[in-house]
Amino acid sequence: MADRVLVIGSRGREHALAWKLAQSPHVKQVLVAPGNAGTVNDGKISNSAVLISNHTILAQFCKDHNIGFVIAGPEVMLTAGIVDDLIAAGVSCFGPTARAAQLGTNRHFSKVFLEQHDIPTARWKAFSSSREACTFINSADFPAFVIKPSGFGHRQEVILASNTEEACKATQEILQGNIFGDYREMVIVEELLKGEEFSCLCFVDGNTFTSMPPVQVQKQLLDGEQGPSTVGMGAYGPVPQVSEALLEKIKSTLLQHIIDCMKQEDMSYVGVLQIELILTKDGVKVLSMDCNFGDLQCQVVLRLLCHDLCEVIQAAIDGRLCDVTLSWSDNLTAVAIAMAWEGCPAQSAEITGLLQAKELGLEIFHGATIKKNDKVLTNGSRVLAVTAIQQGLMSALEEAYKGLEVIYFQNATYRKDVGTLALKFLGQSVRPLYEDIVCSILSHPPKLPALTGSKPGSHEEQQGTPAFYDLRASGYTDPIIISQIKGIGTKQKIAQLCNKHDTIGQDLVAMCVNEILAQGAEPLFFLHHFAFGKLDVGVAQVITDGIAEACDQAGCLLLAREANEMSGTWASGEYHLVGFAVGAVERGRHLPQQEKVTSGDVLIGISSSGLHSQGFSLVRKIISTSLPHYLSSVPVGCNSSCTLGEQLLTPSKIYSKPLLPLFRSGNVKVCLHIAERGLMGSFSNILPEKNSVVLDAHCWKMPSIFSWLQEEGNLSEEEMMKTFNCGIGAVLVVQKEVAGQVLKDVQKYEDAWLIGKVIHHISGYPQVEIRNLFEVLLQNKHLYPKSISAVDGQLQSMHRKSKVKVAVLISGTGTSLTALLSYAKEPGSSAQIVLVIADRSGVDELKNATLAGIPTRVIDHKLYGSRAEYDGTIDRVLEEFSVELICLARFTRVLSSNFLRKWKGKILGAYPTLSHLTQGGNAHKLACSSTDKTAGCTVHFVLENTSLEAMILQEPASVKAEDTEETLAEKIREAESRAFPIALQLVASGMVQLAMNSKIWNQESQKLIRQKEKQDCFYS
């Protein structure tokens, strides 16, 4: 019997195996490689730093340390042949060979095996052509479809399609878009089965098997089977829905048949076989097979196992499982509930409460954890699982939730409804099992700025209490209450794309408050709701600061607010804002007063700052189908410039200051807020049938952004008038005799003009006529920088017929990956990002890449014995995806000289400084202490020997006296996000090339740059 055993892996499965093996009197030491914080010097258990990726080194280690047997856990290692290699070297191993492991790691292989041996499964077919797949889909009589890649991949890498159209689209995305990134040469189309799903597990010795209790796993991340699929968030066993009679039938027919068929196929299978089954109306069918324990399944089963696990494994290795009769806990139920970091963790966080949970009699199995300075820290997404075993499912769940309540780490989440289906089956009432937990442990409201402003009669909200407002104390005698609720809409999406959030708060307040003002009312107070997928404290602070400042501008009180983390609704980095404003006006002064409008009245137009918040869906469409990008630079004044995105995000004006005094004078008959329906449509509801209005576009100053939008979008005059404000944010209708004075009063605060008049309506003619609009739009074209539509457009249009395939290598968060992904999607881009590689697991940007449909790989440097071996693996993956260019987006690994020589002129990197002499991670510190008030980043070719000539592009970031190291570092990151995509475009389009050690610009690029320099001089 083995004195020392080695368990390979670092998940909760490996911790559970080590925990159970350590209970055996036959085992003196359990080594876990690489292990986690739960397997660090815990009695018999300790971690090993042996290099598990090199099977030769690993085999020698096992011989040197007298390892009795090895348990090979991770699927990727089984597929790589670790069992074959160790057995060939004379090391006993518990796990299937590479060929047998394909039953769990290759879907096509598994499906063929099931079909050839008449094992019941979903009807299916595999295709390498999306056209052939769609033909099959349209002819199949499946009620719904499951579409998935054929090769190695996680079970959650599937698409459920409810109709043929969705199914066809899914096959095209997998085969052509490579959305999962694994073996995308073939796709499997199968029918979607309905029924009770559960896992059936057994120990296998190559000839016979011994079964384990069935386990049911809840895989969706969120309660109510919502959110993305995972390997499991909660599990319990035995499964009450599976009767003993059914289980015996599964053992005697299905399991035995599968084992016999593996023998017929000459598959050497020693290990754990886990079969995912579904109980349909037509009987039990196989969904999939796994070549080892599932994470939570392992924890549940081993809590129930009374037998010595070491004896069981040794019997399986020796081929004598038939001599072993396993014993299991009678009348007990085990549960395991996973505790995860919601989203992808950017950094480690301390875990507390583990000892308190242990004192409750619970077993905590670690997953993504590490131990540093005697502290247990998170080290990835699937952090740990709390397990309990009790008589009855309800009791076990209650015990587990007690443990979850005392454990804490930042951004923790777990499901609150584990076992509800089984409880309903048992006829037990389903109630909250953690009633003392008010919110999820993960949900900690962000620290927002204090509520600002005050008005007589206002009482701000306290923690958990409503806010109220006393109108009488505010001086009103017979008021009418006016309210408005608004969201920002598509402009918010553009703010997220541009990572510019400091104007959105003012937009939210302006949209609500200006509508209140249009009713002749005074804005009294404002409330808002801020929902987000994953809190970015800096973004939240900027937005809420903007709301508070805007309320001050509006003269209203920021009375209350609510912030909620809604990970199931919004992705990480996304948020949604809703504002609610309340105003009051004395009865009789309410606007509009249409009955007073007469022919001869004058229209006063008040300037807008730009688009305000209207027409952004159309704007987004125009930009997506034209060459400029949100990051394209445009001059906006003599001495300054900004990006197109920044100009589009210019905040809406708030008109409280110019309008409130006018309302008190009684000189305003109508006040129009030019909003959703554009300049023309805003008049439709306020004009009496007897009247019309005529406006003259020559009478006001129209921002040139509207001319550019009209030209790029090829919009008609009517489309412009019905979509955009065309430079007018509000319109007043006043009597002609007072128009001059009213205009002067408005001009104290805002630019304003006499823009039109009211006339008698003539039947057959439009009620709203805007003259000379198209002429003004054409006149303004020369004012708008040609560098967007001409120079930058030419830069983007000079691309190859087939886009250059690009791989992005990352190490953590704060990279420019999001900007690169966004830029590559633009029609004018010469680059196609086909792969994202991270040097560690749990990197937040990997999720963003997956959501964008980009294949991802994790190539962990810790698994390789040398830099050459590590770089060689990266090189093979790059060649697999036919990569032509590489972007190092804050990739921290040092690449070998051989790698850099092979990819010379094809690797782009960035360092956070404008000075070649101060490149490095501390550049922002030097900038803060330097008298030079310019910082930024430089994008360059990465060479074996650094060269000033290899510089491609520089992007400055202004240093202000109040900047800290943190704020300056953020500015440099933003500069990198602006510069890196443009540098990639220059190289991918062929405009910048590297010859020898120098940067080479072709003639066309020199011509364009000289043209752009002339334009910059002209506009400055």
Side-chain angles (χ1 to χ4, degrees):
M1 195 68 68
D3 286 340
R4 183 179 288 132
V5 297
L6 173 64
V7 179
I8 294 178
S10 60
R11 291 168 51 175
R13 169 181 59 203
E14 285 72 43
H15 186 188
L17 286 166
W19 167 80
K20 192 64 179 178
L21 286 166
Q23 297 173 14
S24 171
H26 305 295
V27 175
K28 294 181 180 179
Q29 185 181 21
V30 182
L31 297 176
V32 188
N36 53 43
T39 54
V40 174
N41 300 325
D42 182 13
K44 294 182 181 181
I45 307 171
S46 60
N47 288 342
S48 170
V50 61
L51 185 65
I52 58 177
S53 62
N54 189 312
H55 298 171
T56 302
I57 294 174
L58 181 61
Q60 189 60 50
F61 172 88
C62 291
K63 294 176 180 179
D64 293 343
H65 291 79
N66 297 316
I67 300 297
F69 59 77
V70 176
I71 301 178
E75 294 89 338
V76 65
M77 302 205 69
L78 294 171
T79 307
I82 185 172
V83 172
D84 307 68
D85 293 341
L86 291 179
I87 291 176
V91 178
S92 295
C93 207
F94 183 72
T97 61
R99 181 166 178 266
Q102 290 183 86
L103 290 172
T105 61
N106 189 306
R107 293 188 179 101
H108 185 258
F109 182 91
S110 176
K111 279 290 187 181
V112 171
F113 175 86
L114 294 172
E115 186 177 73
Q116 287 181 346
H117 295 286
D118 296 322
I119 299 169
T121 185
R123 292 175 291 172
W124 71 284
K125 198 165 184 180
F127 300 93
S128 57
S129 163
S130 59
R131 179 178 298 177
E132 292 176 3
C134 287
T135 301
F136 171 77
I137 288 168
N138 289 320
S139 63
D141 60 348
F142 301 167
F145 299 84
V146 179
I147 314 296
K148 51 192 174 185
S150 64
F152 176 80
H154 297 295
R155 288 192 305 279
Q156 61 264 37
E157 291 183 346
V158 299
I159 298 175
L160 304 182
S162 59
N163 54 55
T164 56
E165 183 180 351
E166 291 179 3
C168 287
K169 181 181 178 183
T171 61
Q172 292 169 355
E173 287 178 342
I174 292 174
L175 289 172
Q176 298 173 10
N178 305 334
I179 61 172
F180 294 132
D182 290 309
Y183 288 83
R184 57 257 179 253
E185 76 277 359
M186 191 175 292
V187 65
I188 289 177
V189 178
E190 67 180 35
E191 66 175 325
L192 176 63
L193 298 176
K194 297 291 185 180
E196 198 79 46
E197 296 183 30
F198 59 97
S199 302
C200 193
L201 305 95
C202 57
F203 294 104
V204 182
D205 67 1
N207 294 298
T208 60
F209 71 93
T210 300
S211 64
M212 309 177 212
V215 179
Q216 191 161 55
V217 179
Q218 292 174 247
K219 297 175 183 176
Q220 307 309 122
L221 178 67
L222 304 176
D223 292 346
E225 306 308 323
Q226 300 297 311
S229 180
T230 70
V231 295
M233 291 300 293
Y236 48 88
V239 182
Q241 301 95 310
V242 181
S243 66
E244 285 294 330
L246 177 61
L247 194 56
E248 285 301 320
K249 184 177 180 180
I250 291 171
K251 293 179 190 176
S252 61
T253 57
L254 186 62
L255 290 182
Q256 187 62 60
H257 182 49
I258 290 174
I259 301 301
D260 292 341
C261 293
M262 285 195 293
K263 290 166 61 179
Q264 291 176 25
E265 296 283 346
D266 197 26
M267 291 184 188
S268 179
Y269 200 111
V270 175
V272 170
L273 179 64
Q274 178 175 297
I275 305 175
E276 301 302 316
L277 301 175
I278 183 168
L279 181 56
T280 71
K281 59 183 179 62
D282 299 321
V284 175
K285 296 186 178 184
V286 176
L287 290 174
S288 64
M289 293 191 285
D290 291 287
C291 49
N292 54 10
F293 274 116
D295 207 31
L296 295 184
Q297 289 93 329
C298 180
Q299 297 171 41
V300 168
V301 166
L302 294 186
R303 288 303 309 268
L304 294 169
L305 179 64
C306 297
H307 210 94
D308 187 319
L309 180 61
C310 179
E311 291 182 1
V312 178
I313 292 176
Q314 193 65 61
I317 293 173
D318 295 342
R320 51 181 181 81
L321 267 180
C322 57
D323 299 334
V324 177
T325 301
L326 297 185
S327 56
W328 303 94
S329 300
D330 292 331
N331 301 318
L332 295 180
T333 298
V335 302
I337 303 176
M339 202 170 185
W341 182 302
E342 186 158 15
C344 291
Q347 58 188 6
S348 294
E350 184 178 359
I351 306 171
T352 59
L354 294 171
L355 289 178
Q356 294 93 314
K358 191 82 171 176
E359 290 169 358
L360 295 173
L362 304 169
E363 288 297 337
I364 315 300
F365 294 120
H366 291 239
T369 63
I370 54 173
K371 198 166 187 178
K372 287 186 178 180
N373 301 323
D374 294 325
K375 292 182 179 181
V376 178
L377 307 176
T378 62
N379 191 37
S381 297
R382 291 185 60 80
V383 179
L384 55 85
V386 175
T387 68
I389 183 168
Q390 292 287 326
Q391 284 192 336
L393 177 58
M394 178 68 82
S395 298
L397 289 168
E398 288 176 342
E399 290 300 308
Y401 278 118
K402 288 178 183 177
L404 289 163
E405 185 178 350
V406 300
I407 299 173
Y408 171 77
F409 56 87
Q410 181 185 351
N411 282 3
T413 186
Y414 55 87
R415 282 190 61 161
K416 322 304 183 304
D417 63 346
V418 174
T420 52
L421 290 177
L423 292 175
K424 289 179 180 178
F425 177 84
L426 294 170
Q428 299 182 26
S429 61
V430 180
R431 57 184 177 81
L433 298 172
Y434 65 111
E435 292 171 340
D436 294 334
I437 304 176
V438 178
C439 299
S440 157
I441 291 176
L442 93 93
S443 184
H444 296 283
K447 290 184 178 180
L448 302 176
L451 299 179
T452 60
S454 63
K455 278 181 176 288
S458 65
H459 295 265
E460 300 171 6
E461 66 168 347
Q462 302 299 317
Q463 186 73 28
T465 62
F468 61 92
Y469 195 99
D470 186 346
L471 277 173
R472 184 173 295 176
S474 302
Y476 287 92
T477 56
D478 186 19
I480 296 174
I481 299 300
I482 309 292
S483 65
Q484 182 59 266
I485 185 169
K486 288 280 186 181
I488 297 174
T490 307
K491 189 173 186 179
Q492 180 178 289
K493 287 286 186 183
I494 294 177
Q496 292 166 3
L497 284 172
C498 297
N499 193 27
K500 179 177 173 58
H501 313 277
D502 56 343
T503 63
I504 291 298
Q506 180 167 327
D507 282 310
L508 185 68
V509 175
M511 289 180 70
C512 296
V513 164
N514 288 339
E515 291 291 339
I516 297 289
L517 291 167
Q519 306 299 311
E522 175 192 11
L524 298 177
F525 58 85
F526 184 82
L527 309 90
H528 70 89
H529 181 256
F530 180 24
F532 46 86
K534 179 182 177 184
L535 178 64
D536 184 318
V537 176
V539 171
Q541 194 73 42
V542 166
I543 292 172
T544 51
D545 283 349
I547 291 173
E549 292 169 6
C551 286
D552 285 342
Q553 287 185 44
C556 66
L557 174 71
L558 176 53
L559 190 62
R561 65 198 165 200
E562 180 71 17
N564 293 112
E565 189 158 349
M566 302 173 68
S567 56
T569 304
W570 307 105
S572 177
E574 291 187 345
Y575 56 82
H576 183 64
L577 290 165
V578 176
F580 181 76
V582 174
V585 60
E586 292 288 0
R587 196 178 305 275
R589 291 190 176 183
H590 179 245
L591 297 180
Q593 298 177 352
Q594 293 104 319
E595 70 280 359
K596 294 184 178 180
V597 176
T598 62
S599 177
D601 285 345
V602 174
L603 305 181
I604 296 176
I606 306 177
S607 66
S608 69
S609 57
L611 274 69
H612 284 192
S613 296
Q614 295 82 48
F616 274 88
S617 294
L618 179 58
V619 170
R620 196 176 179 193
K621 181 178 179 181
I622 290 172
I623 293 178
S624 69
T625 56
S626 61
L627 295 175
H629 187 269
Y630 296 113
L631 299 179
S632 298
S633 179
V634 297
V636 295
C638 293
N639 300 311
S640 64
S641 67
C642 70
T643 66
L644 175 59
E646 288 170 339
Q647 190 169 63
L648 291 171
L649 291 171
T650 302
S652 307
K653 289 185 176 182
I654 297 173
Y655 297 114
S656 294
K657 289 183 178 179
L659 294 184
L660 286 175
L662 294 176
F663 295 159
R664 299 185 186 105
S665 71
N667 288 329
V668 178
K669 300 179 179 182
V670 172
C671 175
L672 286 177
H673 175 217
I674 309 302
E676 286 89 350
R677 290 167 294 177
L679 183 56
M680 175 180 283
S682 297
F683 285 92
S684 59
N685 291 334
I686 61 94
L687 280 177
E689 291 184 2
K690 63 180 180 179
N691 295 125
S692 298
V693 293
V694 177
L695 290 76
D696 187 348
H698 279 307
C699 294
W700 72 86
K701 183 179 179 181
M702 188 182 303
S704 52
I705 182 69
F706 295 106
S707 296
W708 180 80
L709 287 168
Q710 184 277 322
E711 182 179 23
E712 287 291 326
N714 193 26
L715 304 179
S716 67
E717 190 175 27
E718 184 177 9
E719 286 174 317
M720 292 296 298
M721 293 187 291
K722 289 185 176 181
T723 306
F724 301 112
N725 64 52
C726 299
I728 299 297
V731 175
L732 304 179
V733 181
V734 300
Q735 192 173 339
K736 181 178 180 181
E737 288 72 18
V738 298
Q741 185 57 49
V742 171
L743 180 63
K744 289 180 181 179
D745 291 340
V746 174
Q747 287 174 337
K748 294 176 183 177
Y749 303 95
E750 298 286 354
D751 289 334
W753 310 270
L754 301 176
I755 64 171
K757 60 184 178 180
V758 178
I759 63 173
H760 286 294
H761 178 60
I762 301 174
S763 180
Y765 285 83
Q767 266 198 304
V768 181
E769 181 183 359
I770 304 177
R771 297 172 180 170
N772 303 313
L773 180 64
F774 208 72
E775 182 180 339
V776 172
L777 287 169
L778 292 174
Q779 289 174 351
N780 282 353
K781 282 184 180 179
H782 73 280
L783 299 175
Y784 200 77
K786 292 183 180 179
S787 56
I788 284 186
S789 56
V791 178
D792 287 354
Q794 285 175 278
L795 288 175
Q796 296 183 55
S797 64
M798 290 180 59
H799 58 84
R800 306 175 186 179
K801 291 182 179 179
S802 59
K803 294 189 176 186
V804 174
K805 293 183 178 180
V806 179
V808 183
L809 275 59
I810 60 176
S811 291
T813 57
T815 75
S816 52
L817 176 62
T818 300
L820 289 168
L821 290 173
S822 177
Y823 199 91
K825 288 181 179 179
E826 297 298 329
S829 172
S830 299
Q832 176 190 5
I833 297 178
V834 297
L835 177 66
V836 175
I837 296 177
D839 66 352
R840 66 197 71 173
S841 59
V843 176
D844 200 25
E845 268 81 351
L846 286 178
K847 181 179 179 182
N848 296 334
T850 301
L851 290 173
I854 307 298
T856 63
R857 290 286 190 275
V858 175
I859 304 178
D860 193 336
H861 65 282
K862 297 176 184 176
L863 301 178
Y864 297 88
S866 67
R867 190 193 303 174
E869 183 183 358
Y870 177 68
D871 289 357
T873 303
I874 294 177
D875 187 55
R876 286 193 296 274
V877 175
L878 294 173
E879 289 185 349
E880 176 189 347
F881 284 84
S882 303
V883 169
E884 300 168 86
L885 282 177
I886 303 169
C887 291
L888 305 182
R890 303 213 167 201
F891 184 71
T892 58
R893 309 313 311 166
V894 177
L895 296 169
S896 64
S897 296
N898 287 338
F899 186 92
L900 294 175
R901 282 196 292 269
K902 176 179 178 178
W903 291 91
K904 181 180 178 182
K906 300 177 182 179
I907 307 177
L908 279 62
Y911 50 82
T913 175
L914 299 178
S915 170
H916 186 78
L917 300 177
T918 60
Q919 57 175 292
N922 296 323
H924 57 282
K925 295 182 181 180
L926 296 176
C928 272
S929 59
S930 173
T931 56
D932 179 10
K933 294 306 176 184
T934 302
C937 84
T938 300
V939 186
H940 61 103
F941 286 109
V942 179
L943 304 174
E944 186 178 5
N945 298 309
T946 57
S947 169
L948 287 170
E949 297 298 323
M951 183 181 70
I952 301 169
L953 190 68
Q954 289 189 315
E955 178 69 16
S958 177
V959 183
K960 296 182 180 180
E962 63 269 21
D963 272 328
T964 64
E965 291 180 8
E966 290 76 16
T967 60
L968 187 56
E970 179 60 30
K971 286 183 177 181
I972 293 174
R973 279 194 291 270
E974 291 174 356
E976 182 179 328
S977 292
R978 293 193 299 270
F980 218 143
I982 297 172
L984 173 60
Q985 174 66 17
L986 290 170
V987 176
S989 65
M991 296 185 64
V992 175
Q993 302 172 18
L994 189 74
M996 301 299 288
N997 290 329
S998 300
K999 181 185 69 176
I1000 304 298
W1001 296 75
N1002 62 31
Q1003 290 184 345
E1004 188 65 29
S1005 68
Q1006 293 174 358
K1007 176 182 176 182
L1008 289 174
I1009 288 169
R1010 284 195 297 269
Q1011 179 184 347
K1012 192 172 191 299
E1013 289 173 347
K1014 289 179 180 179
Q1015 288 179 355
D1016 290 342
C1017 292
F1018 173 78
Y1019 289 118
S1020 62

